[in-house]
Amino acid sequence: DTAVSQTPKYLVTQMGNDKSIKCEQNLGHDTMYWYKQDSKKFLKIMFSYNNKELIINETVPNRFSPKSPDKAHLNLHINSLELGDSAVYFCASSQVQGTTSSGANVLTFGAGSRLTVL
Amino acid sequence: DQQVKQNSPSLSVQEGRISILNCDYTNSMFDYFLWYKKYPAEGPTFLISISSIKDKNEDGRFTVFLNKSAKHLSLHIVPSQPGDSAVYFCAASVHAGGTSYGKLTFGQGTILTVHP
C-alpha cells in the first residue's frame, strides 16, 4: 500500500499546454510538499501546505498553482507549460513534529512524476 | 545560492569496504541534517538524521558525523553492500516556526556504486 502516491508517473506534453499532477498520502501526515528536481539534480522545494494552508511558497512562477482539497491531497497545476518546466516533480509529506529520535522533520516522498515539455 | 553542497558527483567502492559520502553547508542556522537514499525511478527514502547538538549518530551500518565548526557532515557505510548502490542526498533544515517551517534544503546528490 503506497504511502505517498502521485499520478501520472510520466507526462509528455507540448509547450503552452496546461497540465496537473496529483498527489495523495495515506500516512495521516499534516504537511505536504512539492519538490522539483531539475537537470542539475538538485531537489528544490516549491510549495508546502500544512493542514490545507499554504506555508511555504518559494520563488515559483505563478503559472504553478498548488491546490490542497484536504490534508491528504496536494495537487499541482501548471499553466502555459514552457520547455524549462521539464523536470521530475516529487510530492512528499511529513508529520511536522518529526518521528526520528533526533527530532528532524522527516519527509516521505512519492516516486516522482517526470514531466517532459516539447 | 546553494546552501547545501555535495562536491563529489560519484563514488565507487568495493563490497565490504567503507563508503564515505561528504556534504558541506553554509547556513549556520541549520539545526537538523538528514541523509536520503534514492534508487532510479523511485522517490528519495529517509536513511538517517542528526541534530546539530550532536556530532555522531549511528544506525546499524550507517553513521553520520557532524562537524559544526567546519560546516561539514559525512555519512559512513560499513560494510558497503551492492544493494547500497544508489544516489545519496544530504539535506538540512531549520527546525523553527515561520516560513522555514519544515523546509528541507537538499544537496545535488552523490552516486554511490558498490562493486561485488
Side-chain angles (χ1 to χ4, degrees):
Chain A
D1 193 19
T2 305
V4 179
S5 59
Q6 49 183 115
T7 55
K9 195 169 177 64
Y10 300 97
L11 188 53
V12 181
T13 188
Q14 300 286 332
M15 277 177 57
N17 284 349
D18 304 339
K19 290 294 178 187
S20 292
I21 307 171
K22 295 185 177 181
C23 180
E24 176 181 4
Q25 55 99 1
N26 62 8
L27 297 167
H29 287 166
D30 60 5
T31 306
M32 295 186 72
Y33 311 80
W34 277 109
Y35 275 79
K36 177 181 179 181
Q37 186 179 32
D38 59 22
S39 57
K40 294 183 180 177
K41 304 304 182 185
F42 283 102
L43 274 160
K44 294 186 177 178
I45 191 166
M46 301 172 69
F47 303 102
S48 170
Y49 271 73
N50 176 265
N51 285 319
K52 297 169 49 181
E53 181 182 348
L54 180 66
I55 58 171
I56 295 176
N57 185 353
E58 293 293 289
T59 308
V60 177
N62 57 16
R63 297 182 294 104
F64 291 78
S65 53
K67 292 236 174 7
S68 182
D70 55 62
K71 74 174 191 177
H73 295 84
L74 180 61
N75 303 323
L76 183 65
H77 189 75
I78 315 170
N79 290 326
S80 304
L81 279 156
E82 301 177 357
L83 292 175
D85 297 332
S86 295
V88 182
Y89 293 84
F90 289 96
C91 177
S93 71
S94 74
Q95 185 60 33
V96 168
Q97 293 305 319
T99 56
T100 68
S101 59
S102 71
N105 180 30
V106 177
L107 274 61
T108 301
F109 283 85
S113 297
R114 181 176 293 278
L115 171 65
T116 304
V117 182
L118 303 175
Chain B
D1 175 32
Q2 277 308 123
Q3 299 183 54
V4 179
K5 293 183 182 178
Q6 295 173 253
N7 292 316
S8 298
S10 63
L11 174 67
S12 184
V13 170
Q14 202 71 26
E15 181 178 6
R17 300 290 187 104
I18 185 171
S19 295
I20 300 177
L21 298 115
N22 294 303
C23 178
D24 297 298
Y25 63 95
T26 58
N27 188 346
S28 57
M29 297 297 292
F30 287 141
D31 51 8
Y32 285 93
F33 302 90
L34 301 87
W35 285 93
Y36 277 79
K37 179 168 78 172
K38 184 184 179 305
Y39 292 117
E42 295 184 11
T45 55
F46 171 72
L47 201 52
I48 191 170
S49 65
I50 189 168
S51 162
S52 61
I53 63 173
K54 297 186 176 181
D55 55 19
K56 178 182 173 182
N57 189 27
E58 192 172 349
D59 183 2
R61 296 186 297 115
F62 302 91
T63 303
V64 56
F65 294 93
L66 175 62
N67 183 333
K68 278 187 68 176
S69 59
K71 293 192 175 67
H72 178 85
L73 65 154
S74 61
L75 174 69
H76 293 211
I77 307 173
V78 181
S80 301
Q81 299 173 355
D84 295 331
S85 297
V87 179
Y88 288 78
F89 289 96
C90 170
S93 71
V94 176
H95 199 74
T99 58
S100 298
Y101 196 50
K103 172 182 170 182
L104 287 186
T105 301
F106 283 83
Q108 67 271 50
T110 297
I111 301 170
L112 173 65
T113 304
V114 180
H115 297 283

